[in-house]
Amino acid sequence: MLHNAGKTMEYLRASDQDGKTEQFSDKKLVWIVSKETGFESAAVIQDKGEDLVVSKTSNNEELTVKKEDTQQMNPPKFEKLEDMANLTYLNEASVLHNLRQRYYSSMIYTYSGIFCVAINPYARLPIYTKEVINSYRGKRRTEMPPHIFTVADEAYQQMIQQRENQSILITGESGAGKTENTKKVIQYFASICGVEAKTDGHGLDDQLVRCNPVLEAFGNAKTIKNDNSSRFGKFIRIHFGAHGKIHSADIERYLLEKARVTYQNPDERSFHIFYQMIKGMSADERGTCLLSDKPSEYVLLSNGDMIVDSINDVEQFQETKQCMDILNFSKDVQMQIFKFAAGILNLGNTITSLKQNKRDENCTIENTTWIERASHLFGLNTMDVTKALVKPRIKVGSEYVHKGQNADQVKNSIKALCKSIFEKLFKLVLDMCNETLETKLRRNFFIGVLDIAGFEIFDFNSFEQLCINLTNEKIQQFFNHHMFTLEQEEYRKEGIKWDFIDFGLDLEPTIELIERNMGVFAMMDEECIMPKATDKSFLDKLNRQHLGRHPKYAKPPAKSQLSESPVHFQIIHYAGVVGYNVDGWLDKNKDPLNENVVELFVKSREPLFAKLFEAAVEVATPGRRKKGGSFQTVATIHKLAVEHLLITLRSTTPHFIRCILPNMKKKSGIIEANLVLDQLKCNGVLEGIRIVRKGFPNRLIYQEFVQRYTILAPKAIPQGFMDGMKATQKLVEALQLDENSYRMGHSKIFLRAGIIGYLEDLRDERVKTVLIGFQTLARGWLARKKFKRLLDLRIGALVAQRNTRQYFILRKWGWWRLFTKVKPLLSVSRQEDEIKHKEQQAEQFKKEKSTDCDSALIPLLR
């Protein structure tokens, strides 16, 4: 247990006295809306039907609020509850309050039914040590405080016992701690499972952990919310043998944000690897990669040399290289990878050398330094690359001709190439990691860990946000259906008949709008093959098909049309209404590449670089063509990838972790209420609570129910033994609960939301009455005892006063004075008489003893 883990327990579990022994106010307390804290407590002073007169508990300010705008407050016994599904009043205010109070006490993990909610602590807590790992190993969920290790161990134990694949879904927005929690899950498995495969002196568990720094270097970046934000989703499969040992692993990636290569928002950086190379390489290595030591010299690093306090690029570059060594990246391959990354930066700088011709629409590259450097690093001929960019060859009828490009067209072509090269470079690194993690050992089961961006609602939402939101919509549908299945199983096991609703069906219209026939993706793919299609024609087609016809498709608000990036249409997601801007969607969906340059890339003198584009030479613009003539657009690829992921997830037993960003200041101990509430909604936590409230969320075993609530009807249960179910039934009848508010199972009683709170209020009143009666008896006894003592003191005082008065009267009387002097002499004479009497008794005793001895000796002498 955790008693061996030092002070760890204070970061995981609240003490029994921690807020739970507070006196519950005699007044009815409710939650009211607050701009500063989300919700704050208030006491009800007067009920006026639809309105309530309340007094804020913080400052006693009185105000009138709508009854429908208030939310019920839980009794103190529910303070800092470890599982919010057990809250008797399941509402936003209670969930926020519970999470906030636990977070203020540094307890970052909390359960919400089958969810584990994790709030980024922005501090290093001593809850991931080897001792803590050992204390959680093999323990049931109810035995230990909430922790991500509990989720990991539960998945592992179920895999071993049920012989089924498992998955752990970790979602949340940037900065919420998804990547860190993913690392902790992998750390846990690597620690408890051990391995049977070792290569080059390094265990597979060590290599699995070492993949993180390498993938973070190429796939993570500094954003406004997070200094180490993962800009891609990944599904890590850890394969186990029959005895629970790690045999191999592999990693799949989703939605790399390659647009970050060419542009970063203010106060953000591009991918870490560029800064690591510029700052961490030696002078010789930079010379080989033709790199400067100043990030500000490169156009693609929009914000220059941005200093991030939490990141040391020099140290992290050394760590990246060390991890590559452990993952069996040869020195030559490492240098080639770095050269290709440096080539992207040099190619990007070619943009600054473009000059538009005044006489025609053609352009030229004035300063060829950057294109020469990029061509050298990629193993290409500079003249061929320049010609392919400025005057690409196109097919007109049956012949090929060279068509001049203007500066903007060449600029867009260069940016597209930079993004494509980096995407393929990232895939190469990932493939090499997978190759190292692959072994020849038999795979029996796997545990998959999904680390993917959560639902996104920004001021400006584009094609990338739609893809991410579709993914989360389908994952939420998967969760809702899974929760429905679990609930149905629990009800069936307890023998309860209940027509439960499959809430997964609620999300089907939105998913259908995006990816089904005549949906957003299908119509966008259709436009991509039309020769004169534009983003506007695509939007017009969407509006004609869905506006006013589909319940989840909405017209944008009028005020948004005045902004620089107006909302073109809205989709009603489960997490909220999201407005999308379609500018550039067709190009993003086609993901066009300069076909001439791609053909050059395949002929590169660098075999590794040529290998990157071998698969792309046949599927260049306008779309990626498969057999049968169907286009493989970005939307289609993403849709297929998500479907493949869901097929995998459906074959597993899922476990859910929802990561929460507490504030935008990146500081510990601060909760921004509205930010957290938005994430709870986007993460599906509030959706899960909504589902639970439709049924019977509060469940107690019969013995516990009887033990706690017998005080409400002590005469309902007769003396002696009685079965728990029968005792509960008699107690429920005595309490006169509505038949629709509970169900009796085989071992538990199922209660509607709010019933436990109602019973707790009655119990508080009953306990209060009993305690008042006890206090009355105790105070009466103490008062009577005190009164008797006062009476005794009064009698004693009177006796003392009387004797004192008599003494003062007698002390001068002559006879009294004579008596006091003679009295001692009388006692002396009595003492002489007593001594004489004692001596006589002693002589008599001696004579009797002497006679007895003579009588005893006479028979012996004869």
Side-chain angles (χ1 to χ4, degrees):
M1 298 297 288
L2 282 176
H3 61 270
N4 294 324
K7 295 184 178 180
T8 302
M9 180 61 81
E10 66 186 68
Y11 296 100
L12 295 172
R13 173 164 284 169
S15 65
D16 294 336
Q17 291 76 33
D18 196 358
K20 300 184 181 182
T21 57
E22 295 179 11
Q23 183 179 359
F24 199 45
S25 175
D26 292 340
K27 298 179 180 179
K28 183 180 179 181
L29 295 178
V30 295
W31 294 109
I32 61 174
V33 177
S34 169
K35 292 182 180 180
E36 294 78 20
T37 60
F39 296 92
E40 62 177 309
S41 60
V44 177
I45 298 176
Q46 185 180 0
D47 190 338
K48 292 184 176 181
E50 295 183 357
D51 296 333
L52 292 176
V53 179
V54 299
S55 172
K56 294 182 180 180
T57 56
S58 58
N59 55 13
N60 295 324
E61 177 188 351
E62 291 190 11
L63 64 159
T64 302
V65 296
K66 292 285 185 183
K67 186 180 291 186
E68 62 184 19
D69 293 335
T70 65
Q71 298 183 21
Q72 291 176 294
M73 182 182 292
N74 289 285
K77 68 163 285 191
F78 295 99
E79 190 76 6
K80 298 182 183 178
L81 206 62
E82 293 183 350
D83 190 346
M84 295 186 294
N86 294 328
L87 289 171
T88 183
Y89 297 122
L90 285 165
N91 50 51
E92 294 181 13
S94 297
V95 169
L96 176 63
H97 173 74
N98 195 73
L99 289 174
R100 177 160 43 201
Q101 295 306 310
R102 287 179 62 81
Y103 185 70
Y104 288 161
S105 299
S106 297
M107 294 178 284
I108 63 172
Y109 293 110
T110 307
Y111 297 133
S112 180
I114 61 176
F115 281 130
C116 177
V117 180
I119 305 180
N120 191 336
Y122 284 117
R124 296 194 177 277
L125 303 179
I127 59 175
Y128 305 107
T129 61
K130 185 70 174 178
E131 292 79 7
V132 176
I133 290 175
N134 291 334
S135 67
Y136 274 87
R137 185 173 184 178
K139 298 295 191 303
R140 293 188 182 91
R141 173 168 166 166
T142 54
E143 292 182 273
M144 302 297 289
H147 201 296
I148 196 170
F149 290 163
T150 302
V151 180
D153 191 77
E154 189 176 40
Y156 181 72
Q157 297 300 331
Q158 287 186 17
M159 181 194 71
I160 296 297
Q161 295 167 11
Q162 300 174 10
R163 322 297 283 178
E164 293 180 353
N165 297 327
Q166 308 288 312
S167 60
I168 300 175
L169 285 69
I170 304 175
T171 60
E173 68 173 70
S174 177
K178 301 185 301 297
T179 301
E180 288 302 315
N181 279 291
T182 301
K183 290 180 187 177
K184 302 308 178 189
V185 170
I186 295 172
Q187 173 194 348
Y188 186 82
F189 290 139
S191 178
I192 70 167
C193 301
V195 294
E196 293 182 2
K198 287 185 178 291
T199 57
D200 297 336
H202 293 286
L204 184 63
D205 52 349
D206 184 33
Q207 290 177 328
L208 181 59
V209 173
R210 299 287 184 164
C211 284
N212 281 314
V214 176
L215 294 180
E216 285 181 10
F218 287 87
N220 287 29
K222 191 258 184 216
T223 65
I224 295 174
K225 296 180 180 179
N226 185 8
D227 291 346
N228 187 33
S229 176
S230 185
R231 307 318 300 161
F232 68 103
K234 57 180 177 287
F235 186 61
I236 305 170
R237 268 189 297 256
I238 305 172
H239 299 274
F240 296 84
H243 301 293
K245 299 290 185 182
I246 297 177
H247 276 195
S248 64
D250 61 79
I251 305 170
E252 291 183 12
R253 59 98 176 175
Y254 302 92
L255 284 175
L256 175 69
E257 189 192 20
K258 57 183 180 181
R260 183 169 291 272
V261 174
T262 58
Y263 176 76
Q264 305 90 47
N265 291 320
D267 298 325
E268 294 191 351
R269 297 203 319 178
S270 185
F271 294 100
H272 293 326
I273 188 63
F274 296 125
Y275 304 91
Q276 290 180 11
M277 290 166 55
I278 292 172
K279 297 182 180 180
M281 279 184 163
S282 65
D284 291 341
E285 289 174 326
R286 281 199 304 273
T288 302
C289 293
L290 303 179
L291 276 179
S292 165
D293 60 351
K294 297 178 181 178
S296 56
E297 292 187 9
Y298 297 97
V299 174
L300 297 185
L301 306 182
S302 309
N303 298 314
D305 187 11
M306 182 180 292
I307 305 299
V308 183
D309 294 336
S310 62
I311 296 177
N312 187 319
D313 292 309
V314 177
E315 291 181 0
Q316 289 191 356
F317 182 64
Q318 298 305 317
E319 182 183 10
T320 300
K321 292 203 299 182
Q322 290 172 4
C323 292
M324 283 182 161
D325 291 337
I326 294 173
L327 292 169
N328 300 330
F329 285 61
S330 67
K331 296 294 184 182
D332 289 341
V333 169
Q334 289 182 40
M335 183 51 66
Q336 282 183 301
I337 290 172
F338 297 146
K339 286 169 66 176
F340 300 158
I344 294 172
L345 295 179
N346 284 287
L347 180 61
N349 273 13
T350 305
I351 294 172
T352 61
S353 303
L354 296 176
K355 182 180 179 181
Q356 181 67 44
N357 295 340
K358 296 180 180 180
R359 291 176 297 176
D360 53 34
E361 293 186 357
N362 297 338
C363 73
T364 57
I365 300 176
E366 283 190 317
N367 183 358
T368 60
T369 301
W370 300 110
I371 193 70
E372 288 173 358
R373 290 183 177 184
S375 299
H376 171 74
L377 293 170
F378 295 148
L380 305 171
N381 181 278
T382 304
M383 293 300 297
D384 292 341
V385 175
T386 303
K387 189 175 181 180
L389 285 172
V390 176
K391 290 187 176 182
R393 189 180 63 160
I394 63 172
K395 189 174 183 180
V396 179
S398 59
E399 298 181 356
Y400 284 93
V401 297
H402 290 277
K403 177 181 178 294
Q405 301 280 83
N406 61 38
D408 287 338
Q409 289 174 324
V410 175
K411 179 179 179 181
N412 292 334
S413 178
I414 290 173
K415 287 185 175 181
L417 287 170
C418 290
K419 290 187 288 186
S420 180
I421 294 170
F422 187 82
E423 181 184 30
K424 297 184 186 312
L425 184 61
F426 180 82
K427 184 179 182 299
L428 170 67
V429 172
L430 184 61
D431 289 344
M432 294 189 70
C433 289
N434 285 334
E435 186 178 333
T436 300
L437 298 176
E438 173 61 34
T439 67
K440 301 299 181 183
L441 297 176
R442 179 185 176 87
R443 300 175 174 182
N444 293 81
F445 315 102
F446 73 80
I447 297 178
V449 184
L450 178 65
D451 171 9
I452 200 164
F455 205 93
E456 293 186 348
I457 306 177
F458 299 138
D459 294 333
F460 178 81
N461 301 287
S462 188
F463 178 66
E464 293 81 7
Q465 279 68 49
L466 181 63
C467 291
I468 291 172
N469 292 345
L470 171 65
T471 305
N472 281 274
E473 197 87 29
K474 300 195 77 169
I475 289 176
Q476 184 64 33
Q477 184 186 45
F478 168 72
F479 161 74
N480 286 3
H481 181 73
H482 174 69
M483 193 169 184
F484 159 75
T485 305
L486 288 181
E487 288 288 287
Q488 286 287 63
E489 177 63 23
E490 177 74 4
Y491 284 40
R492 185 197 61 77
K493 187 172 66 175
E494 289 290 327
I496 294 175
K497 293 183 179 180
W498 172 248
D499 296 330
F500 203 74
I501 305 168
D502 188 348
F503 285 91
L505 301 177
D506 288 358
L507 282 69
E508 189 62 29
T510 303
I511 296 172
E512 182 183 73
L513 171 64
I514 298 174
E515 68 169 16
R516 300 288 191 268
N517 291 336
M518 299 305 293
V520 176
F521 279 0
M523 298 180 79
M524 183 164 47
D525 287 350
E526 185 179 283
E527 287 295 286
C528 284
I529 62 175
M530 302 299 290
K532 295 183 179 181
T534 63
D535 294 325
K536 186 178 185 307
S537 67
F538 164 60
L539 178 62
D540 291 340
K541 186 177 287 190
L542 275 180
N543 288 332
R544 285 196 302 271
Q545 179 66 30
H546 299 296
L547 189 59
R549 298 181 178 181
H550 200 287
K552 300 297 182 180
Y553 189 93
K555 186 178 181 180
K559 63 178 182 180
S560 71
Q561 306 307 307
L562 303 176
S563 64
E564 295 181 0
S565 302
V567 174
H568 292 141
F569 70 93
Q570 294 185 127
I571 293 181
I572 302 172
H573 294 274
Y574 77 90
V577 180
V578 184
Y580 294 99
N581 181 293
V582 301
D583 290 345
W585 279 31
L586 296 187
D587 281 341
K588 290 179 180 179
N589 191 38
K590 290 185 290 186
D591 195 18
L593 289 178
N594 186 314
E595 189 174 352
N596 294 253
V597 179
V598 172
E599 290 176 354
L600 288 177
F601 285 174
V602 177
K603 301 173 183 177
S604 169
R605 295 187 300 274
E606 297 283 354
L608 192 60
F609 188 77
K611 184 180 178 182
L612 297 181
F613 286 88
E614 282 179 356
V617 69
E618 297 179 0
V619 291
T621 55
R624 301 177 184 179
R625 187 177 297 276
K626 293 177 65 180
K627 290 182 180 179
S630 61
F631 285 105
Q632 280 284 79
T633 59
V634 173
T636 302
I637 292 171
H638 177 66
K639 185 172 70 171
L640 293 175
V642 173
E643 189 57 39
H644 174 69
L645 171 64
L646 286 170
I647 291 172
T648 302
L649 293 179
R650 291 188 192 109
S651 68
T652 67
T653 300
H655 309 264
F656 300 90
I657 296 171
R658 295 296 187 250
C659 300
I660 300 293
L661 175 71
N663 60 75
M664 296 296 293
K665 300 176 182 177
K666 303 179 186 177
K667 292 185 179 180
S668 178
I670 300 175
I671 288 284
E672 294 179 6
N674 292 327
L675 176 65
V676 172
L677 284 172
D678 286 342
Q679 292 174 84
L680 291 174
K681 189 175 183 180
C682 293
N683 267 335
V685 175
L686 297 181
E687 176 76 359
I689 289 173
R690 180 179 75 90
I691 295 172
V692 167
R693 290 181 66 181
K694 294 294 183 180
F696 299 87
N698 298 121
R699 297 148 198 192
L700 294 173
I701 60 174
Y702 290 130
Q703 291 80 358
E704 183 180 351
F705 183 84
V706 171
Q707 181 181 8
R708 186 160 186 85
Y709 299 114
T710 299
I711 190 174
L712 299 179
K715 297 181 180 179
I717 303 175
Q719 295 294 326
F721 173 78
M722 177 173 282
D723 179 72
M725 184 176 182
K726 293 180 180 178
T728 301
Q729 185 65 50
K730 287 186 174 294
L731 187 56
V732 167
E733 292 173 358
L735 294 173
Q736 299 181 345
L737 292 180
D738 182 17
E739 291 184 0
N740 192 42
S741 64
Y742 70 92
R743 291 289 187 277
M744 304 288 289
H746 296 315
S747 62
K748 303 173 185 175
I749 180 172
F750 289 61
L751 299 160
R752 292 272 193 193
I755 298 299
I756 289 290
Y758 166 71
L759 294 177
E760 284 295 319
D761 288 342
L762 293 180
R763 186 176 183 276
D764 286 340
E765 288 296 325
R766 181 59 180 163
V767 169
K768 179 182 174 182
T769 303
V770 172
L771 290 178
I772 289 175
F774 176 77
Q775 289 174 343
T776 301
L777 293 174
R779 287 172 181 156
W781 182 82
L782 290 172
R784 286 189 294 273
K785 184 177 179 181
K786 183 178 180 181
F787 181 69
K788 185 176 182 302
R789 183 169 174 273
L790 291 174
L791 285 178
D792 293 340
L793 288 174
R794 179 177 176 276
I795 294 171
L798 291 175
V799 171
Q801 288 175 351
R802 187 177 69 244
N803 290 337
T804 302
R805 290 191 192 99
Q806 293 299 323
Y807 171 74
F808 281 109
I809 293 172
L810 295 174
R811 68 175 181 172
K812 294 182 181 179
W813 188 31
W815 288 106
W816 175 257
R817 294 172 66 185
L818 177 62
F819 173 75
T820 55
K821 291 180 179 180
V822 172
K823 185 177 180 181
L825 299 177
L826 294 175
S827 63
V828 171
S829 62
R830 282 201 303 272
Q831 288 176 358
E832 292 178 353
D833 293 340
E834 289 177 0
I835 292 172
K836 185 182 291 186
H837 179 67
K838 295 293 182 183
E839 289 177 349
Q840 290 176 354
Q841 287 181 339
E843 288 296 331
Q844 182 66 29
F845 180 74
K846 288 179 181 180
K847 289 179 180 181
E848 291 175 356
K849 289 297 179 183
S850 176
T851 304
D852 293 340
C853 291
D854 291 343
S855 301
L857 289 173
I858 289 174
L860 296 174
L861 293 174
R862 291 179 181 176

